[in-house]
């Protein structure tokens, strides 16, 4: 089957494969990673190429379109949606590398990346590059990745480099990375988000990047926080799946005139509609400003805070919706064949990510008030 080339075709294919992913959910969870055929299904649907621009022969999808693809995949399976969200960042990272180097690293626009961006590793400066060592957590999708990107603090002659100490993102081929099987979790089990280690691996300087230095074409896809924009697609896809499942189940049970069912469904639909609208409005407004040649600084404080806040709200609202639906369905929810059990665990787990924590609220609130944000990268601030 030919891999779709346009954003519209990729989204259509993602929606087509969602039922197949739903059928494989139990297998995905049991494997604690995406099985090879599921990875192939996503790749053949064009999911991993969504971050590449036309200069690469990619679909040049907007942030909203990329998020819709993640949403469609997560509607089928949350872990597949999470891995799709992570894996489609390859084209985004490519813009922070020298174009010729990036072309050599990514001969196909359907390659995937994984890794942890926080600088928990140690990189010793050596001639031509760095010697990278460390252990990182949460390598979502690392079991099928082609390249692994990891944050590291820089050292020179054994001493911290710079004041404050400098850090950098480093890309290493997957075969030079050792996966540590730690991913025994409440939910998102199929994402394979294991720890991983890198031991004294030489990283050429050209395989490193900083979000403050764009080497590919400028524009909406070349911003520091670009890799976080598509994240709300996962909780939105799961919440929509849970709502549709419970509506269908309630109708089959003859609950159409049950007052509690009516009120719960209506409340959850209202929360979902408002939350989803907030996410896509923030995405589109930012894209409009950036595509017109503006920068994040051209957004008003409220507009700039809208994206991390709507993202956090999507995660928390999805968990709330699934929890209320789980309670509505009572004892039928507790048996593992019920998708509500998995969705409850998946949304609980994804809400532990930093993008759903109070630290984001503080960051947005500080920005709105002119204070000091705790997590400035969420606002696209790299220094």
């Amino acid at each position: 089957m030919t891999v779709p080339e346009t954003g519209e075709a990729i989204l259509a294919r993602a929606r087509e494969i969602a039922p197949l992913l739903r059928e494989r959910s139990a297998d995905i969870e049991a494997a604690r990673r995406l099985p090879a055929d599921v990875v192939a299904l996503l790749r053949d649907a064009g999911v991993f190429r969504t971050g590449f621009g036309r200069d690469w022969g990619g679909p040049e999808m907007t942030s909203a379109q990329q998020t819709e693809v993640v949403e469609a995949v997560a509607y089928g399976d949350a872990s597949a949606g999470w891995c799709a969200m992570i894996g489609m960042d390859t084209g985004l990272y490519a813009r922070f590398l020298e174009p010729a180097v990036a072309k050599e690293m990514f001969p196909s626009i359907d390659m995937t990346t994984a890794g942890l961006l926080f600088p928990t590793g140690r990189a010793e400066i050596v001639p031509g590059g760095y010697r990278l060592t460390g252990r990182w957590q949460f390598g979502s999708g690392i079991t099928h990745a082609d390249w692994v990107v990891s944050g590291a603090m820089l050292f020179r002659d054994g001493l911290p480099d710079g004041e404050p100490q400098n850090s950098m993102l480093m890309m290493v081929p997957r075969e030079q990375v050792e996966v540590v099987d730690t991913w025994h979790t409440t939910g998102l089990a199929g994402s394979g988000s294991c720890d991983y280690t890198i031991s004294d691996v030489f990283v050429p300087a050209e395989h490193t990047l900083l979000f403050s230095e764009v080497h590919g074409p400028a524009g909406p896809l070349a911003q520091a926080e670009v890799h976080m924009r598509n994240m709300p697609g996962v909780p939105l896809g799961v919440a929509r799946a849970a709502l549709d499942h419970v509506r269908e189940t309630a109708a089959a049970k003859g609950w159409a005139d049950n007052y509690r069912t009516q009120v719960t469904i209506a409340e959850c639909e209202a929360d979902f509609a408002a939350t989803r609208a907030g996410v896509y409005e923030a995405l589109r407004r930012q894209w409009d400003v950036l595509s017109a040649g503006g920068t994040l600084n051209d957004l008003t404080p409220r507009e700039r805070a809208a994206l991390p806040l709507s993202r956090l709200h999507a995660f928390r609202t999805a968990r709330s919706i699934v929890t209320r639906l789980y309670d509505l369905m009572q004892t039928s929810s507790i048996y593992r064949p019920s998708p509500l059990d998995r969705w409850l665990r998946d949304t609980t787990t994804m809400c532990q990510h930093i993008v759903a924590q109070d630290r984001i609220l503080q960051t947005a609130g500080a920005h709105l008030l002119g204070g000091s944000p705790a997590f400035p990268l969420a606002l696209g601030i790299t220094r």
Side-chain angles (χ1 to χ4, degrees):
M1 184 178 293
T2 303
V3 179
E5 297 182 353
T6 67
E8 293 79 7
I10 292 172
L11 178 57
R13 186 76 65 80
R15 288 170 174 162
E16 287 176 7
I17 67 173
L20 302 177
L21 294 171
R22 182 75 59 81
E23 292 174 2
R24 296 298 307 281
S25 285
D27 297 334
I28 291 170
E29 184 168 49
R32 292 184 300 109
R33 64 182 63 190
L34 294 192
D37 66 305
V38 173
V39 176
L41 193 66
L42 296 176
R43 182 176 289 111
D44 292 344
V47 168
F48 298 135
R49 62 174 54 186
T50 58
F52 282 99
R54 293 190 183 91
D55 55 307
W56 277 77
E60 191 82 35
M61 296 177 72
T62 68
S63 298
Q65 289 175 317
Q66 292 180 43
T67 304
E68 285 184 291
V69 170
V70 174
E71 192 176 0
V73 175
Y75 185 88
D77 181 80
S79 290
W82 193 268
C83 289
M85 176 265 295
I86 296 291
M88 65 169 57
D89 286 345
T90 308
L92 308 179
Y93 293 132
R95 291 179 178 263
F96 298 92
L97 298 163
E98 290 289 349
V101 173
K103 292 282 188 179
E104 182 178 317
M105 293 172 65
F106 307 124
S108 165
I109 61 174
D110 296 307
M111 296 175 71
T112 66
T113 47
L116 183 72
L117 305 187
F118 292 110
T120 60
R122 178 188 179 107
E124 182 71 26
I125 299 171
V126 297
Y130 307 86
R131 304 296 307 189
L132 178 62
T133 297
R135 178 167 176 154
W136 294 260
Q137 290 183 293
F138 310 119
S140 302
I142 196 169
T143 54
H144 59 262
D146 298 294
W147 286 86
V148 177
V149 56
S150 307
M153 304 302 293
L154 303 187
F155 289 79
R156 188 184 299 272
D157 299 325
L159 298 175
D161 182 66
E163 183 60 46
Q165 188 176 3
N166 293 319
S167 65
M168 189 167 284
L169 295 174
M170 307 199 167
M171 303 201 76
V172 173
R174 167 64 181 84
E175 57 267 23
Q176 293 182 295
V177 176
E178 181 178 353
V179 176
V180 185
D181 189 8
T182 54
W183 196 241
H184 300 271
T185 57
T186 302
L188 287 180
S191 67
S193 305
C194 298
D195 289 13
Y196 64 94
T197 61
I198 296 173
S199 302
D200 195 34
V201 169
F202 176 70
V203 182
E206 59 268 26
H207 288 183
T208 67
L209 60 103
L210 292 169
F211 285 136
S212 58
E213 298 179 6
V214 178
H215 296 286
L221 295 176
Q223 302 290 327
E225 42 64 66
V226 67
H227 63 284
M228 294 187 284
R229 294 181 201 161
N230 57 7
M231 295 186 74
V234 183
L236 289 175
V238 174
R240 182 71 265 166
L243 275 162
D244 289 350
H245 169 76
V246 171
R247 285 176 60 188
E248 292 169 4
T249 303
K253 289 178 176 289
W255 291 359
D257 291 320
N258 178 273
Y259 180 83
R260 181 191 177 200
T261 302
Q262 293 168 338
V263 170
T264 300
I265 292 293
E267 286 180 337
C268 290
E269 284 284 359
D271 287 350
F272 177 83
T275 301
R276 189 175 189 275
V279 166
Y280 283 98
E281 171 59 26
L283 287 170
R284 292 183 181 116
R285 174 56 183 159
Q286 187 191 87
W287 188 271
D288 288 345
V289 170
L290 296 176
S291 61
T295 69
L296 294 176
N297 291 329
D298 293 314
L299 295 166
T300 67
R302 182 187 62 78
E303 289 171 337
R304 194 160 182 180
L307 202 55
L309 287 177
S310 64
R311 181 166 52 231
L312 175 145
H313 195 56
F315 276 80
R316 292 187 174 185
T317 301
R319 177 174 60 182
S320 173
I321 288 172
V322 171
T323 299
R324 281 177 280 169
L325 296 176
Y326 184 94
D327 289 343
L328 176 66
M329 300 308 293
Q330 302 174 49
T331 55
S332 64
S333 301
I334 68 176
Y335 295 99
R336 285 296 173 93
S338 167
L340 281 168
D341 168 75
R342 181 162 47 249
W343 290 326
L344 182 71
R345 291 181 287 107
D346 288 341
T347 53
T348 296
T349 299
M350 69 178 71
C351 277
Q352 308 316 308
H353 194 282
I354 189 172
V355 300
Q357 299 302 305
D358 285 352
R359 192 176 178 188
I360 301 301
L361 294 175
Q362 185 280 332
T363 293
H367 182 67
L368 291 169
L369 294 169
S372 302
F375 188 44
L377 184 59
L379 297 165
I381 301 170
T382 58
R383 294 294 187 190

